[in-house]
Amino acid sequence: MTITPSPVFPMHKLVRAAVVGVALGALATSWASAQGVYRIVGPDGKVTYSDQPPPPSARASVVDGASASAAVNNPQLPQELRQTVSRYPVTLYTTTDCAPCNTGRSLLNARGVPYTEKTVTSAEDAAALKRLSGESSLPFLSIGGQQLKGFSETDWTQYLDAAGYPKQSVLPTNFRRPAATALVATQPVQAAAARPNAAPARPPVQPAETPVTPPTENPAGIRF
């Protein structure tokens, strides 16, 4: 197939757009079946991360994945947009005091892209992010199975265009984005009283009573 250069769309942009489209198409199916990253706690208490499902006997939870079910089942979204979200769910990874993260978020909001935002603020979050992206830099964006590291308006725009997201927002006025959540969900520590194996509380120790010696008729022990 021969691509003829256009005076208004240079050859290098045609090639780049074609590469973007092929990348998204090739990764759509594999990402749709992906289960994300697993947080696995070993018998010794050591925590590891893996993209492979753990054995049934292991203690594990899914850290993150292409979670598009909320957006797909959202009746507020136009049907065409729901189809795009189901094929190429968007997840944005951010952290606090991150100017590029704010810029990337603003771009998604301006285009009306429904996305899931995950925050990276703890050591466990950072470890999970490194397992997901291979790096620790933010922002990090996933569109379907495509990973975009760092913010680039050109790259983000081209991949969103190739995925079929509208250039301008078509979201209804009553649409509300879900709140950002931590990449690794924290579990509250149970109080000692609520633990089934906790030792029963001991009653407070009472001070020993001092024996009282009854008075005698000769307290000084004088002998006659």
Side-chain angles (χ1 to χ4, degrees):
M1 177 179 179
T2 303
I3 300 177
T4 303
S6 170
V8 296
F9 200 67
M11 172 62 79
H12 71 279
K13 291 188 176 181
L14 282 171
V15 174
R16 186 178 181 86
V19 171
V20 170
V22 171
L24 284 173
L27 291 169
T29 303
S30 61
W31 184 258
S33 61
Q35 297 298 316
V37 171
Y38 294 88
R39 179 179 183 272
I40 304 172
V41 181
D44 56 354
K46 183 179 180 181
V47 178
T48 58
Y49 296 91
S50 174
D51 54 3
Q52 298 299 319
S57 59
R59 293 171 51 198
S61 58
V62 178
V63 172
D64 185 68
S67 178
S69 59
V72 172
N73 298 324
N74 191 335
Q76 297 177 332
L77 299 182
Q79 179 63 27
E80 183 178 354
L81 184 56
R82 273 188 284 172
Q83 292 177 353
T84 302
V85 172
S86 67
R87 294 181 62 194
Y88 306 109
V90 176
T91 304
L92 173 65
Y93 302 82
T94 63
T95 189
T96 55
D97 300 326
C98 172
C101 298
N102 298 335
T103 305
R105 188 187 300 108
S106 297
L107 185 151
L108 297 177
N109 291 341
R111 291 189 57 146
V113 176
Y115 61 91
T116 301
E117 182 172 355
K118 296 292 183 180
T119 57
V120 180
T121 56
S122 67
E124 283 197 336
D125 292 337
L129 174 67
K130 191 171 183 62
R131 181 62 185 171
L132 280 168
S133 67
E135 297 181 6
S136 301
S137 59
L138 291 167
F140 171 62
L141 184 73
S142 65
I143 306 175
Q146 183 63 44
Q147 298 182 347
L148 303 178
K149 302 172 184 179
F151 176 72
S152 168
E153 182 176 357
T154 300
D155 290 345
W156 286 31
T157 298
Q158 288 186 337
Y159 277 96
L160 290 171
D161 290 346
Y165 283 99
K167 295 181 181 297
Q168 296 181 345
S169 177
V170 295
L171 295 175
T173 56
N174 61 343
F175 178 80
R176 295 293 179 269
R177 300 184 184 280
T181 57
L183 179 54
V184 178
T186 56
Q187 298 179 352
V189 179
Q190 295 180 343
R195 296 175 185 170
N197 298 327
R202 296 181 179 180
V205 179
Q206 299 293 336
E209 296 183 358
T210 303
V212 178
T213 303
T216 62
E217 296 181 356
N218 189 4
I222 299 175
R223 294 182 181 182
F224 295 95

